[in-house]
Amino acid sequence: MSKYLKSIKGTQDILPAQSHKWQFIEHCIRETAQLYGYSEIRTPVFEKTELFARSVGDATDVVQKEMYTFDDKGGRSVTLRPELTAGAARSFIEHGLFNEALPVKVYYVGGCYRYEKPQSGRLREFHQFGIECFGAASAGADAEVIAVADRLLKRLSLKNIELKINSIGCPVCRAEYNAALTAYFEQHLGSLCPTCIERLERNPMRILDCKSPICSEIAAGAPTTLEHLCGECAEHFESVKKYLTAMEIPFTVDPRIVRGLDYYTKTVFEFVSGDLGAQSTVCGGGRYDGLISQLGGPDTPSLGFAMGLERLLLIMEAQGFDFPAPAPIEIYIAPMGEEAAMKAAALCGQLRAEGFSAVTDTAGRGLKAQMKYADKLGARRILVIGDDELKSGVAELKDMSSGERVSVKLKEGLVSAVYDQSIHAALGELTGAVEKKFPPVDTGM
Ligand code: ATP
Ligand code: MG
């Protein structure tokens, strides 16, 4: 096969047979975000490189190693977004959204690009759902943001998930902490990897995130941020924990969580799955009180999270989640001959105008092949139009699940017959759903 017929390494196609799973996840995302008062924001797939360097952070792996950066034809350096917080923050400042009633709560769903080694749960093009809550300083905001992720994971029936939280403090505690960290790592200077030696000067906290086994081992013994929180940060963290407890969201405090992006302050958190292997984090987030002002906006304490959709899907598939089937085709009209084909096309048009999905033959196939095709499509009903039907103007509408056949007048009867059947089916489903939700009460009489 020609090389250009192979998709780029680390990217994947979502084929028609799989796309309903994505649609279901996205449906639940939008539904959940709406429950908490979040509105969608859509930002460009590429931004000026400097935006990411300044927000994600120069010393992070994402900026140092993983970005798809190129010069456009005008010689400007642009980058395919490795995450969406930077774009949302830029947009918040550019459009003066800080003048609106705060907090401004936005969510996004979109593609991200990182030049990483492709493996299970790690791609070069992947998709994130994330939320940003701009302009909320209280611990209740932290708990609410965490609750959005928690609710979605429950909505998607994910099991075996653990919430880990930590506080990495503010610039006040960070100064003291960085000094303690530097002193600690300087004792291990000979063993650190070259990148971490560089990090030691620029941002020693990044060493805690290094994936090399030796650095991780050294990092395991490093002082923790929790031991160095200032009074305000310690109080904030205590309050977040109380909120989570009151909201019945189980968590564990993990002082090793520092997150891979520079902009975080105070609360950071991860939802980790036991069913993902090495790439176990499905969602990561936290507070970034300094980001908006650092980018040139007004002081706006904010926070958010991002969740990897591919990883969500991997977990759901591993746990055997029963995805709702895509909506079936309501009717397949099988014509025999050209005149019948035109009649079928016209009837399909009428049905679609009423909101019923309708498919007919466009490949000029015989009846047997059409039936096979209709069966593959999972069409709910079938109507055959041959010479007899054309002449009489009457045809048989067959319901594929019940086997029931009704005779309908093509001109004025088809649409209403499909209506009648659909209403019956919908009523049946509704009754079933209500009975399931509110089973008859046993009064003991
Ligand atoms: P990791 O430690 O796995 O590299 P990260 O800290 O780089 O994750 P974030 O930048 O916080 O991840 O992104 C949030 C979420 O996006 C991750 O928890 C994960 O679910 C998803 N994600 C990140 N990078 C990738 C990738 N290359 N492929 C697929 N999903 C990813
Ligand atoms: Mg990463």
Side-chain angles (χ1 to χ4, degrees), residues 91-265:
S91 181
F92 175 80
I93 300 169
E94 181 178 348
H95 302 287
L97 299 188
F98 45 81
N99 291 318
E100 295 185 1
L102 295 176
V104 167
K105 307 208 277 189
V106 299
Y107 77 92
Y108 56 77
V109 184
C112 299
Y113 305 84
R114 296 187 192 178
Y115 196 79
E116 298 197 76
K117 190 160 178 258
Q119 52 201 285
S120 170
R122 196 174 289 291
L123 292 144
R124 291 184 173 171
E125 180 186 60
F126 61 100
H127 298 80
Q128 284 187 342
F129 156 55
I131 71 171
E132 315 294 349
C133 177
F134 295 115
S138 86
D142 303 45
E144 192 183 273
V145 163
I146 291 173
V148 176
D150 181 68
R151 167 102 339 262
L152 177 66
L153 298 176
K154 286 190 173 122
R155 172 74 174 88
L156 297 174
S157 311
L158 264 71
K159 293 169 219 68
N160 199 11
I161 297 270
E162 203 186 342
L163 166 63
K164 297 180 175 183
I165 64 169
N166 187 24
S167 175
I168 57 172
C170 65
V172 176
C173 14
R174 193 74 59 80
E176 191 199 304
Y177 178 59
N178 276 348
L181 210 51
T182 309
Y184 172 80
F185 283 124
E186 270 170 354
Q187 296 167 19
H188 299 274
L189 208 53
S191 321
L192 292 176
C193 75
T195 322
C196 282
I197 291 175
E198 215 176 282
R199 285 172 173 145
L200 191 56
E201 273 184 27
R202 297 169 71 183
N203 191 343
M205 258 178 81
R206 288 273 67 82
I207 302 176
L208 301 175
D209 221 29
C210 183
K211 306 273 192 301
S212 108
I214 297 174
C215 296
S216 319
E217 209 184 298
I218 299 171
T224 68
T225 48
L226 287 181
E227 298 156 353
H228 292 86
L229 292 184
C230 68
E232 193 208 318
C233 286
E235 206 177 289
H236 185 93
F237 193 50
E238 282 313 306
S239 184
V240 173
K241 290 193 276 185
K242 278 189 195 146
Y243 263 101
L244 289 175
T245 307
M247 291 159 84
E248 295 180 36
I249 298 175
F251 64 88
T252 52
V253 174
D254 183 344
R256 297 285 146 218
I257 290 183
V258 292
R259 310 290 308 127
L261 315 178
D262 266 359
Y263 48 59
Y264 288 114
T265 51

Side-chain angles (χ1 to χ4, degrees), residues 274-419:
D275 295 303
L276 270 180
Q279 272 57 250
S280 59
T281 308
V282 62
C283 173
R287 202 167 250 296
Y288 46 87
D289 285 348
L291 179 65
I292 299 295
S293 56
Q294 191 186 308
L295 289 176
D299 193 20
T300 313
S302 305
L303 69 164
F305 68 68
M307 208 182 264
L309 301 195
E310 283 78 3
R311 290 189 195 174
L312 268 185
L313 191 60
L314 279 176
I315 302 172
M316 292 171 78
E317 284 177 339
Q319 296 181 352
F321 184 83
D322 191 11
F323 286 89
I329 295 296
E330 292 289 352
I331 179 166
Y332 182 88
I333 303 186
M336 290 187 291
E338 195 168 352
E339 201 186 332
M342 275 181 216
K343 182 80 189 163
L347 287 169
C348 280
Q350 285 176 15
L351 285 155
R352 293 172 193 140
E354 296 297 325
F356 294 111
S357 50
V359 173
T360 185
D361 178 55
T362 48
R365 277 189 289 224
L367 188 61
K368 210 170 145 202
Q370 289 196 53
M371 287 306 162
K372 237 173 138 177
Y373 183 68
D375 188 50
K376 276 231 168 88
L377 290 182
R380 273 195 170 156
R381 306 174 186 82
I382 288 186
L383 185 92
V384 180
I385 307 181
D387 289 341
D388 289 351
E389 286 78 12
L390 277 179
K391 211 184 281 164
S392 64
V394 176
E396 231 174 38
L397 180 65
K398 183 177 177 193
D399 183 312
M400 298 308 282
S401 52
S402 67
E404 183 201 23
R405 293 162 191 269
V406 284
S407 183
V408 294
K409 281 191 185 156
L410 290 182
K411 207 163 168 205
E412 59 271 0
L414 182 58
V415 171
S416 56
V418 174
Y419 252 122

